[in-house]
Amino acid sequence: MTTSHYIAEGVLAAPFILICLLYLAAAFRDTGWPVYRVGLFTVGTAAAVVSVLGPLPRMAHDSFVIHMTGHLLLGMLAPLCMVLAAPMTLALRALPVATAKQVAKLLRSRFIAIVSHPVTAAVLNIGGLWLLYTTGLYTLMHESALVYTAVHIHIFLAGYVFTASIIYIDPAPHRYSFLFRSGVLVTALAGHGILSKYLYASPPSGVGQEAARTGSMLMYYGGDAVDIAIIVIVCWHWYKAARPRQEKTPVAE
C-alpha cells in the first residue's frame, strides 16, 4: 500500500462524513423527521466510512476476503441504508424554496432519467463488478491510488443509484412499474450470483484459489442478505399499491 493510497482513504471518506453531518443538521432542524431514518443514514455512513478508511481497506490490499467484505459494505449495505433514509426528501424540505425548485428540476432532467433508469443502473452496477473482477482492473486498483479511488466511488454510486432505481423512497419523477423493476432486479441478482460463482472457480489475477473461494462465498451469501431486504421492500410497496382501498363508511344523518 502506497502513501497515495492513504491519501485516497481520506479523499473517499471525507464526502461521506460531510454529507452525514449535513443530513444530521437538517434532520435536527426538521422536528417531524423520523428518527429511524436518521439511524439508517448514520449506519449507512458508518458502513461506507469503515470500508474506505482505517484497518479494513488496508487489510483488503492483501486479502480478497477482506476486500469482499468492504465491497458488501460500500456497494450494498451503505446504499440500501442511505436510500431508506430518504436524503433527497430531507434536502428538499430543508433547502430554500428557490434552491429546492432547482434540485427538483435537475431530478426531472434527461440525464437523471437515463442514469436512474433501472436497466442503466443495473448495467453500471453489475457490469462494473464484472469489469473489475474479470479484467486487470482489480490488480491495477491496488497499484494506482487514482484507479483505486475511482473504482470505490463507482462501487458506491452505482450501488446507490441501482437501489434507488428499484425502491422508490425519495421523489422519483421517472417511475417504472413494479413488474418492470422486479424483472430488472431478478436479472441483476442473477448477474451478481453468477459472478460470485465465476470467481469461485476463476480467481482474479493475484488472488489465491482458497481466498477466492471464501471471498466469492461471502459475496454470494452476503449479497443475498441485502438482496432479500430489497425484495421484501419492493413486495411490500407493491402490496400496498395493489390492495383495494377501504371504502369510506357513509356518515349517518
Side-chain angles (χ1 to χ4, degrees), residues 1-159:
M1 187 166 174
T2 65
T3 303
S4 299
H5 281 90
Y6 286 106
I7 296 173
E9 286 189 15
V11 171
L12 288 168
F16 288 114
I17 296 171
L18 176 61
I19 291 172
C20 186
L21 291 175
L22 292 174
Y23 183 100
L24 293 176
F28 287 135
R29 288 182 58 188
D30 190 331
T31 55
W33 192 248
V35 175
Y36 77 90
R37 292 199 190 280
V38 176
L40 282 167
F41 201 84
T42 305
V43 170
T45 302
V49 171
V50 165
S51 65
V52 298
L53 177 67
L56 192 71
R58 292 166 195 172
M59 290 190 289
H61 279 266
D62 302 315
S63 169
F64 185 67
V65 179
I66 300 298
H67 163 80
M68 198 53 72
T69 303
H71 156 71
L72 292 174
L73 292 173
L74 182 65
M76 299 190 76
L77 180 62
L80 175 60
C81 291
M82 290 184 175
V83 167
L84 293 176
M88 189 54 66
T89 301
L90 179 61
L92 291 173
R93 290 168 58 150
L95 290 171
V97 175
T99 307
K101 287 183 178 179
Q102 292 298 318
V103 174
K105 183 179 179 181
L106 176 63
L107 292 176
R108 294 193 298 269
S109 68
R110 186 172 180 80
F111 172 75
I112 295 297
I114 295 173
V115 173
S116 66
H117 190 286
V119 173
T120 308
V123 170
L124 291 173
N125 191 24
I126 306 302
L129 294 178
W130 275 89
L131 186 66
L132 174 62
Y133 295 122
T134 62
T135 68
L137 187 58
Y138 180 76
T139 302
L140 182 61
M141 176 182 72
H142 292 106
E143 296 172 350
S144 168
L146 184 61
V147 175
Y148 177 87
T149 304
V151 166
H152 283 71
I153 290 174
H154 176 84
I155 286 175
F156 172 76
L157 290 179

Side-chain angles (χ1 to χ4, degrees), residues 117-233:
H117 190 286
V119 173
T120 308
V123 170
L124 291 173
N125 191 24
I126 306 302
L129 294 178
W130 275 89
L131 186 66
L132 174 62
Y133 295 122
T134 62
T135 68
L137 187 58
Y138 180 76
T139 302
L140 182 61
M141 176 182 72
H142 292 106
E143 296 172 350
S144 168
L146 184 61
V147 175
Y148 177 87
T149 304
V151 166
H152 283 71
I153 290 174
H154 176 84
I155 286 175
F156 172 76
L157 290 179
Y160 185 92
V161 172
F162 174 71
T163 306
S165 74
I166 299 298
I167 51 176
Y168 295 153
I169 305 296
D170 273 326
H174 313 285
R175 289 177 172 266
Y176 298 89
S177 69
F178 283 104
L179 184 61
F180 180 75
R181 283 182 281 145
S182 298
V184 174
L185 175 60
V186 170
T187 305
L189 299 188
H192 193 267
I194 292 170
L195 176 59
S196 62
K197 292 181 178 179
Y198 175 83
L199 294 176
Y200 186 92
S202 305
S205 178
V207 177
Q209 189 69 53
E210 193 59 34
R213 288 177 178 176
T214 306
S216 60
M217 285 194 292
L218 180 61
M219 179 182 184
Y220 187 85
Y221 292 110
D224 279 354
V226 177
D227 292 338
I228 288 172
I230 296 176
I231 292 170
V232 169
I233 293 168

